[in-house]
């Protein structure tokens, strides 16, 4: 590397880049209703959110007993895609399952 030839070159060589920040994360929440079956919620958790059977069952029971449960935590784009896919599958099967996004 050649030495800086003037003051401006030296400033450019020593300028520090700002650190890249991690993107914010968002929780995807499943909301309980009186019509969506427990089996369908487990299926959604396994297929859309890639949860194990045991994990899906635990989350489904949490949704059923408390009214809401966290399906996963993702960046905004991924969370939005998971909500859209969940909603489309629910409507295709005639379920009113509500899936929402909240800041983690």
């Amino acid at each position: 590397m050649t030495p800086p030839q003037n003051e401006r070159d030296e400033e450019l060589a020593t300028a520090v880049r700002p650190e890249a920040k991690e993107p914010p994360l968002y929780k995807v929440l499943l909301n309980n209703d009186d019509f969506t079956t427990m089996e369908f919620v487990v299926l959604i958790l396994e297929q859309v959110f890639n949860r194990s059977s045991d994990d899906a069952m635990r989350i489904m029971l949490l949704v059923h007993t408390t009214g809401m449960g966290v399906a996963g935590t993702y960046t905004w784009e991924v969370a939005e895609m998971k909500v859209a896919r969940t909603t489309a599958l629910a409507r295709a099967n005639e379920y009113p399952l509500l899936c929402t996004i909240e800041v983690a």
Side-chain angles (χ1 to χ4, degrees):
M1 188 167 157
T2 61
Q5 297 178 0
N6 61 35
E7 211 174 284
R8 175 81 175 131
D9 286 343
E10 188 173 311
E11 286 177 20
L12 291 175
T14 59
V16 178
R17 286 189 200 179
E19 276 190 44
K21 292 192 282 185
E22 291 289 321
L25 296 177
Y26 298 86
K27 295 187 281 189
V28 176
L29 305 170
L30 294 177
N31 297 272
N32 191 36
D33 62 68
D34 293 334
F35 303 102
T36 307
T37 64
M38 293 180 183
E39 293 81 13
F40 185 76
V41 174
V42 169
L43 180 78
I44 289 292
L45 287 164
E46 290 174 347
Q47 290 185 358
V48 176
F49 296 95
N50 302 317
R51 297 296 192 146
S52 67
S53 294
D54 290 341
D55 219 15
M57 187 65 73
R58 182 185 56 76
I59 295 168
M60 178 276 298
L61 288 172
L62 184 67
V63 171
H64 182 68
T65 57
T66 66
M68 189 178 295
V70 177
T73 304
Y74 309 96
T75 59
W76 176 256
E77 291 80 10
V78 175
E80 198 173 40
M81 185 260 324
K82 300 258 185 205
V83 168
R85 188 161 173 224
T86 298
T87 303
L89 285 170
R91 298 309 173 266
N93 288 280
E94 300 180 355
Y95 291 119
L97 181 63
L98 178 62
C99 192
T100 57
I101 299 174
E102 179 181 284
V103 176

